Amino acid sequence: MNARFAVVMMVLVALAVMAFPATAAINKIPAGGEVFLGEKSLDVSAATGGVSQIAWWQPGTNTETEQPADIQQVTNAQSFYVSPDIFVGKTGNWYQWNGSVKGQLAFNIKEPSLNLKVWDGSVDEDVTGKAIPVGNYGNFVVETNMQSIITRPGYQPADAPFKIKVKSADGGVYTNLVGNNGKEIALTQLAVNQQLWYWVSPDNKHTEPATNDGWNTAAEDKYGNRMYKAGTYTVWAECNANSMKDQYTAPDGSDYTGKTISAVKSVQIATDQVKIEANKDNVVRGNPFSVTITGVPNAEYYVWVKGTGSMTGQPDDQPPMILDTQADVKQDAAAGPYEIGKYQYEGGAGKSIKQDVPDDPDYHGTKFYALVKLNSSGTRTVEWKSSKDTKDKKYTIRVERKSGSQYKSDEVDVKVEKGDVTIVASGDQSYYLGEEVKLSGTNSETDLTYLFITGPNLPTNGGMLKSPRKEVNNDQAASFDQADVQDDDNYEFKWQTANLEMDAGTYTVYAVSAPRDKDHLSDAQYDTVSLVIKKPYIQATASASVVAKGDKLYVRGTAEGDPSKGIALWILGKNKVLYATESVNDDMSFEHEIKSAETASLYAGQYFVVVQHPMYNNEFDVYPDNPLEPQKVLGAYPTRDSELFRIGGAGALQGTDAAEALVKAIDSAMVDDIYTKMQFLVEEPKVTINPIGEQSVGSKFEIAGTTNLMYDDNDLLVEVTSSSFKPTDKSQSGEFNGATGTIKVQQGTDGLNKWSFTVDASTFKPDEYIVRVAGVTTDVVETALFNVVEAGAAPVAVATPVVTEVPVAEEPVAEEPVAEAAENATAAEEPVNATA
């Protein structure tokens, strides 16, 4: 019977709760009070003062003189709903309104705001999204603009609308958490009364976090089991005052994050376990690597290279070192005191970590161990470096922390391997002295690649590339040529072979990871490349052996050895000296043009050309005093600008003598220049016409000849005209019979080029014809005569004259045929063959 009575009473209590909502006391809004979007069943009687309307003005407008932007009806002042459909975008002050006059401030509508952070009270640090060590006190910080809710008339502590929810990795949601001394601290009915509110505070004012109270992450039940297992917990805050969370939802219908519910945050309870991981299992010597320690947030751990105390710590017997000046990585000073190094590690039989690493003469082991503080997330990455002095072997990096009597540790192995060095030479590994040789390769071991060369009569242990006879010295880096190694392990070195103290031959270039000479390569990585070095040479040809005055002439050739000064050309003839220099192209070719204006100024005769290469020292050791108008030939021996002979003015050598003196000067044993020579003839321009013979009407035939004009660069104008063609009276017919055209000179043989012109005689009449061939740009002309007869007529032997010019009378004589006039005119000069 008593049990039934109890059940009835529980039902009555439940009905009473349903009839009288628990939040009823925070639904009364004072005049000028704050209300929030989504709140419903509000009693705004005191705020509205009995009026049935409220009005809102746009921010910045004058509420005294301007009409309101919106007016809303207050149908029931004891059950007012701050509907998001109406009031979103119209937050701010709403005033009493009697239909025409603004009254007192009714209330201020606000958009709610809610955020949550997780705090580690033991270290006074924000650990949202991070970790909190087991044993530290967790706390929560609520950030909101809804603190005025609990100041409303009639508020009771039971009416507090804020909650903090903590969800374990297993899905359970806590309504309270265990704090100091096992007391339970509620997460519901929280009276958040300020914008920044701490869940647990020392003075219960919630203005600052408690340092020794809050969520005890190490709390245990009565059986000694830890209540809060290590793992990730999710937390968030809510406020459902007057059903605002239910009414003011996101567009998709979900709870409105950042408004009535905070974003979900996380925190990890970290156990006192430690883990160490390396970013590389194997590292090439000379490259860095790192280890990441994971453990108790903000705790300190010892890290060192385990079991290396038997090593010397000196070059070639050195473990990896911890990189200097890393954040929260502390190291002892080399001179001591060794406060970190004196830590006695587990299983070391009383040995310290300083005794477990090498005692090198420079740092006394302080680069091989450190004390590392983890960040608030419980991690820290420590970078190590290796070098050419690091011994290639497997190393164990150990991390350890002693908490009370318990040791927590972990280890990871990293193997340091020897690097590799390679070298190659661009091209076919055969070069002329004076060329630039590009050497390149890889070096995965060190930041510098050391280079030296061996070969005939060079130092046995190697010489410098830039000075092959200068011996390199073992372990003296400055005595080696060096190339910087880039981040991708590549290097490059440009070796200029001009003006070196070495002869043609076969040589070997060494690339080494350390400054080691040929006798000490066993403790370094290296590679070699063999090169063939040849003497430079020069060759050249002229575009023609005979050149007509006014024609261009080209001197083309090859100058091996990559002379940056180019080559020099001397052109020598009677009373004439021309000097010029030409650059050499990347393919070692060169070309010099003797322009038309220059050949036009040359007298007919023989000219000599000397093409000069500057050779090893890349300097012309024989040269003119004035390149534009040479008067003297100077030399570099016995002193520079020594006069060798005169080439212009009084007493100058001419033609063959000048050319002979020039090549003898270059042939001197004190001059390293080389040369090649040639000659060409300059002639007056000329053109000839081959015998044409008698042709018939309707035939096609070719008129051809020879010329000393340059082929492809000259045009000839060919004109074929009837000798009967002359001015006529207006009453007479005067048809033109003939042909004309411009043709190119073609390449010929034996210094003479050729030309040809095709004639179509289908429109010709039987007659005698004149052929005139003239240069288009050159002052040269030649003429000839031939006959055209009726088709089928018996051929007549003809001796075609070759005449210098056919004079044309200024006034044509009507009674005398043109052919007869031409014959009479030429009869007065030298006799020529007449047409039969």
Side-chain angles (χ1 to χ4, degrees):
M1 189 69 180
N2 291 336
R4 292 181 180 178
F5 178 77
V7 171
V8 170
M9 289 301 295
M10 290 178 62
V11 171
L12 291 175
V13 170
L15 291 174
V17 170
M18 293 175 61
F20 301 99
T23 58
I26 57 171
N27 74 333
K28 296 183 181 297
I29 309 302
E34 294 179 347
V35 297
F36 297 89
L37 291 173
E39 285 193 275
K40 64 185 303 186
S41 301
L42 297 179
D43 185 349
V44 295
S45 302
T48 57
V51 300
S52 60
Q53 289 182 322
I54 53 175
W56 174 79
W57 281 259
Q58 287 279 5
T61 59
N62 191 327
T63 61
E64 302 299 330
T65 60
E66 299 183 39
Q67 288 297 306
D70 191 17
I71 299 172
Q72 290 295 326
Q73 194 75 25
V74 181
T75 305
N76 185 352
Q78 293 181 335
S79 182
F80 183 76
Y81 176 32
V82 189
S83 172
D85 294 338
I86 297 173
F87 294 104
V88 166
K90 298 174 185 177
T91 56
N93 293 331
W94 284 78
Y95 294 89
Q96 299 170 3
W97 183 254
N98 67 1
S100 60
V101 178
K102 182 190 81 170
Q104 298 297 315
L105 174 64
F107 44 73
N108 181 9
I109 297 180
K110 286 188 172 183
E111 186 162 21
S113 172
L114 187 60
N115 187 38
L116 181 73
K117 291 180 182 178
V118 185
W119 206 262
D120 185 340
S122 300
V123 295
D124 195 20
E125 185 174 316
D126 183 357
V127 292
T128 307
K130 300 178 182 178
I132 185 169
V134 170
N136 283 18
Y137 286 100
N139 211 328
F140 304 103
V141 185
V142 176
E143 297 174 331
T144 185
N145 65 347
M146 296 183 284
Q147 71 276 6
S148 64
I149 290 178
I150 66 168
T151 65
R152 292 173 178 174
Y155 163 78
Q156 296 296 322
D159 299 327
F162 292 90
K163 298 177 182 178
I164 295 175
K165 294 194 173 181
V166 178
K167 185 177 182 179
S168 70
D170 297 326
V173 178
Y174 297 96
T175 58
N176 55 57
L177 296 172
V178 176
N180 193 6
N181 297 322
K183 68 178 179 180
E184 292 187 354
I185 306 173
L187 294 171
T188 60
Q189 294 182 325
L190 303 177
V192 177
N193 59 357
Q194 52 202 17
Q195 287 184 332
L196 194 66
W197 184 87
Y198 290 89
W199 175 55
V200 179
S201 61
D203 55 4
N204 212 29
K205 291 182 180 180
H206 304 282
T207 58
E208 58 181 319
T211 57
N212 60 352
D213 200 0
W215 180 13
N216 182 4
T217 56
E220 296 179 349
D221 61 20
K222 63 181 181 179
Y223 303 108
N225 299 316
R226 191 170 288 173
M227 299 178 65
Y228 306 108
K229 293 192 301 183
T232 301
Y233 291 75
T234 54
V235 298
W236 68 95
E238 294 181 356
C239 179
N240 197 23
N242 299 306
S243 302
M244 63 187 305
K245 183 172 77 72
D246 301 329
Q247 302 303 318
Y248 188 24
T249 58
D252 62 358
S254 62
D255 291 337
Y256 215 145
T257 301
K259 308 294 185 182
T260 59
I261 182 171
S262 72
V264 176
K265 306 296 177 64
S266 67
V267 65
Q268 180 185 2
I269 293 182
T271 60
D272 196 5
Q273 299 295 321
V274 65
K275 180 173 66 174
I276 186 170
E277 296 175 297
N279 68 330
K280 300 175 183 176
D281 295 328
N282 300 279
V283 60
V284 175
R285 186 167 59 184
N287 292 296
F289 66 93
S290 63
V291 296
T292 298
I293 303 168
T294 303
V296 177
N298 300 303
E300 292 184 322
Y301 289 83
Y302 294 93
V303 62
W304 73 99
V305 192
K306 176 187 173 184
T308 56
S310 61
M311 299 176 70
T312 64
Q314 298 190 58
D316 304 322
D317 194 35
Q318 188 180 93
M321 293 183 176
I322 297 174
L323 194 68
D324 294 339
T325 63
Q326 299 182 67
D328 289 318
V329 178
K330 294 188 289 187
Q331 294 175 274
D332 287 331
Y338 306 111
E339 293 297 324
I340 301 172
K342 71 181 182 182
Y343 170 76
Q344 295 179 354
Y345 60 94
E346 183 183 22
K351 285 178 62 177
S352 68
I353 57 176
K354 187 177 184 304
Q355 293 173 314
D356 199 37
V357 299
D359 186 16
D360 64 289
D362 294 325
Y363 304 108
H364 298 288
T366 58
K367 298 296 183 184
F368 308 123
Y369 65 85
L371 181 62
V372 179
K373 182 180 180 181
L374 305 192
N375 60 25
S376 57
S377 298
T379 63
R380 179 69 63 191
T381 298
V382 181
E383 186 171 350
W384 298 69
K385 64 179 181 179
S386 65
S387 69
K388 60 182 175 57
D389 299 324
T390 306
K391 185 174 183 179
D392 54 306
K393 57 172 288 187
K394 182 183 288 187
Y395 294 92
T396 298
I397 311 298
R398 181 177 176 87
V399 62
E400 185 173 300
R401 175 176 181 255
K402 185 179 181 183
S403 178
S405 61
Q406 297 293 316
Y407 289 91
K408 302 294 181 181
S409 63
D410 195 19
E411 296 177 351
V412 66
D413 290 336
V414 176
K415 185 177 182 181
V416 176
E417 301 174 332
K418 288 182 179 179
D420 191 26
V421 175
T422 64
I423 185 172
V424 295
S426 60
D428 59 2
Q429 297 182 217
S430 179
Y431 310 92
Y432 289 94
L433 280 170
E435 283 189 73
E436 183 181 81
V437 180
K438 179 181 174 182
L439 301 169
S440 61
T442 60
N443 181 354
S444 60
E445 178 141 323
T446 54
D447 293 333
L448 287 173
T449 301
Y450 300 87
L451 303 161
F452 65 85
I453 187 170
T454 61
N457 296 315
L458 296 185
T460 304
N461 283 332
M464 296 185 70
L465 287 173
K466 294 179 180 177
S467 184
R469 296 185 183 275
K470 186 175 180 180
E471 186 174 16
V472 297
N473 299 311
N474 191 59
D475 274 339
Q476 295 184 20
S479 69
F480 291 78
D481 292 294
Q482 301 173 19
D484 290 325
V485 179
Q486 305 303 314
D487 292 342
D488 58 0
D489 292 342
N490 289 303
Y491 70 88
E492 182 180 296
F493 185 87
K494 292 181 179 179
W495 180 33
Q496 179 53 254
T497 63
N499 205 25
L500 294 178
E501 294 180 275
M502 59 189 295
D503 202 356
T506 301
Y507 297 87
T508 301
V509 177
Y510 289 74
V512 194
S513 62
R516 305 285 192 267
D517 63 19
K518 191 181 176 203
D519 276 352
H520 298 85
L521 295 174
S522 59
D523 59 352
Q525 297 298 106
Y526 71 94
D527 192 19
T528 64
V529 62
S530 295
L531 311 175
V532 176
I533 303 296
K534 301 179 290 187
K535 287 184 177 180
Y537 72 91
I538 188 169
Q539 62 175 0
T541 57
S543 58
S545 59
V546 178
V547 60
K549 293 178 65 174
D551 256 357
K552 298 176 185 177
L553 181 68
Y554 293 92
V555 177
R556 300 183 177 97
T558 302
E560 297 288 355
D562 195 21
S564 62
K565 290 293 182 70
I567 52 93
L569 294 99
W570 303 74
I571 300 174
L572 308 168
K574 289 183 179 180
N575 302 321
K576 192 69 175 179
V577 178
L578 296 175
Y579 179 85
T581 58
E582 277 297 344
S583 60
V584 176
N585 301 319
D586 291 340
D587 62 356
M588 305 305 159
S589 67
F590 66 86
E591 177 182 276
H592 178 72
E593 177 186 352
I594 304 172
K595 298 183 180 299
S596 300
E598 290 178 306
T599 63
S601 67
L602 298 179
Y603 285 97
Q606 187 177 35
Y607 289 82
F608 300 92
V609 181
V610 176
V611 185
Q612 182 183 357
H613 189 301
M615 282 299 281
Y616 306 130
N617 65 359
N618 205 28
E619 293 286 346
F620 294 113
D621 295 325
V622 176
Y623 49 93
D625 58 342
N626 181 1
L628 298 179
E629 193 173 344
Q631 297 294 306
K632 300 175 184 178
V633 175
L634 307 179
Y637 183 82
T639 60
R640 192 151 189 90
D641 296 336
S642 297
E643 184 176 337
L644 303 181
F645 61 92
R646 295 190 67 83
I647 202 169
L653 297 179
Q654 301 292 325
T656 306
D657 294 335
E660 185 67 20
L662 178 61
V663 297
K664 282 186 177 180
I666 300 175
D667 277 335
S668 169
M670 305 309 297
V671 173
D672 69 349
D673 297 3
I674 58 174
Y675 65 90
T676 186
K677 58 184 180 178
M678 67 195 76
Q679 61 185 9
F680 64 88
L681 290 175
V682 175
E683 293 182 343
E684 296 292 340
K686 64 182 179 181
V687 63
T688 66
I689 303 174
N690 296 338
I692 302 171
E694 187 175 81
Q695 305 296 326
S696 60
V697 174
S699 65
K700 289 185 179 180
F701 57 94
E702 187 178 80
I703 301 175
T706 61
T707 181
N708 63 356
L709 298 178
M710 181 180 290
Y711 65 89
D712 286 342
D713 211 36
N714 282 285
D715 292 333
L716 296 176
L717 176 62
V718 180
E719 297 176 308
V720 181
T721 57
S722 169
S723 62
S724 299
F725 181 66
K726 59 186 178 180
T728 60
D729 293 336
K730 292 183 179 180
S731 61
Q732 297 176 316
S733 64
E735 298 91 350
F736 169 78
N737 292 313
T740 185
T742 301
I743 57 172
K744 285 277 185 189
V745 176
Q746 305 297 317
Q747 186 176 11
T749 57
D750 300 327
L752 284 177
N753 294 318
K754 58 187 180 180
W755 61 270
S756 64
F757 180 74
T758 301
V759 178
D760 183 354
S762 60
T763 61
F764 283 28
K765 294 183 178 180
D767 200 349
E768 184 181 57
Y769 287 82
I770 302 171
V771 179
R772 185 178 188 273
V773 182
V776 174
T777 59
T778 308
D779 188 17
V780 61
V781 67
E782 187 61 70
T783 60
L785 296 174
F786 70 95
N787 287 329
V788 174
V789 300
E790 290 286 355
V796 179
V798 179
T800 304
V802 178
V803 290
T804 303
E805 179 59 49
V806 178
V808 179
E810 293 183 5
E811 295 291 337
V813 181
E815 295 80 4
E816 187 176 18
V818 173
E820 186 177 344
E823 182 177 350
N824 293 338
T826 55
E829 300 176 4
E830 295 182 8
V832 298
N833 293 330
T835 303

